[in-house]
Amino acid sequence: DIQMTQSPSSLSASVGDRVTITCQASQDIANYLNWYQQKQGKAPKLLIYDAFNSETGVPSRFSGSGSGTDFTFTISSLQPEDIATYYCQHYDNLRVTFGPGTKVDLK
Amino acid sequence: EVQLVESGGDLVQPGRSLRLSCAASGFTFDDYAMHWVRQAPGKGLEWVAGISWNSGSIAYADSVKGRFTISRDNVRNSLYLQMNSLRAEDMAFYYCTKDYYSENFGWLDNWGQGTLVTVSS
């Protein structure tokens, strides 16, 4: 089975900072990698699919990149409403695997 | 507007059974695969099970295989999760989610608000 790891597990940043989260797969997963945002007490929300495609309505400050085993999720300028936990998710052949999550809060 | 409304969460004793339901609206239900994803309090997301548009493809996480059964009723626009032999580690919020694809699994583009399953004696 493919394992997903994320780093860091948590981070603190200031409003306006550039925030970067990485997700690593245990083997080559091409671009089958998605990113979700989950705010406290809410259901997750899809932000990025297939590594770099933005879901409709997602602010342009959110972006994704990468392929193979290494992926990056970036918030170009952190806003107070971006405080949340972010998860990467891999999909293939009838299996879905989430990363452990990265909690982002304000410094 | 897509709406997914879960129900059926409850307090149940270890070893007992529970059935979750998800009522879908706002989209053509039988055009999409569906999933259950769970989240233990304070923990991360865990995919539980997925089902293709016509129930032809079904898959489970190893942690629930043999105990849980996912099903759907395309006439009633509903998704179900039958949970048997419940364990303490099954305690979580259970989310009903819609896939982008119909046959294969992909990204989960809509989520319900979740229903809480508590397993305790």
Side-chain angles (χ1 to χ4, degrees), chain A residues 41-90:
Chain A
K42 301 293 187 182
K45 174 187 174 184
L46 174 69
L47 297 181
I48 304 289
Y49 61 92
D50 278 355
F52 58 83
N53 296 289
S54 293
E55 177 70 337
T56 302
V58 171
S60 58
R61 64 180 180 275
F62 297 104
S63 64
S65 64
S67 66
T69 60
D70 296 300
F71 301 84
T72 299
F73 173 80
T74 300
I75 307 173
S76 61
S77 176
L78 186 70
Q79 300 301 303
E81 60 267 31
D82 301 335
I83 299 312
T85 299
Y86 293 85
Y87 295 91
C88 62
Q89 174 242 319
H90 165 58

